Amino acid sequence: MRKHIFKETEMKQLENNPNVLRVSDQTISYQSSFKLIAVEEYQKGNFLSGFYRTLELKWLPT
């Protein structure tokens, strides 16, 4: 797995997202409520990358 280092502008954008609890230059921590919904969607067979974009996490590392 490739390591992504977030730029300062990316970190600020992520911090403004209501689903994000905290951000460092290497990690994103999500709110518990967001994680529960993500697990439910995954169990329904939905792809998580599309789910993240739906819930306002429009930028994702590739």
Side-chain angles (χ1 to χ4, degrees), residues 3-17 20 22-28 56-62:
K3 188 184 283 191
H4 180 87
I5 305 297
F6 294 108
K7 297 173 188 163
E8 191 66 33
T9 55
E10 295 169 331
M11 290 173 56
K12 287 186 187 299
Q13 181 182 3
L14 289 165
E15 288 170 348
N16 289 329
N17 188 296
V20 174
R22 68 183 150 267
V23 179
S24 76
D25 63 343
Q26 296 181 23
T27 63
I28 304 171
E56 298 182 17
L57 192 59
K58 294 178 177 42
W59 179 87
L60 287 173
T62 55

Side-chain angles (χ1 to χ4, degrees), residues 18-44:
N19 299 308
V20 174
L21 185 61
R22 68 183 150 267
V23 179
S24 76
D25 63 343
Q26 296 181 23
T27 63
I28 304 171
S29 297
Y30 298 98
Q31 297 284 351
S32 295
S33 57
F34 179 79
K35 290 190 273 187
L36 290 172
I37 295 169
V39 169
E40 290 173 2
E41 291 298 315
Y42 179 76
Q43 290 174 340
K44 291 178 190 175

Side-chain angles (χ1 to χ4, degrees), residues 44-55:
K44 291 178 190 175
N46 294 327
F47 293 103
L48 292 180
S49 60
F51 170 73
Y52 289 136
R53 286 182 181 93
T54 302
L55 288 179

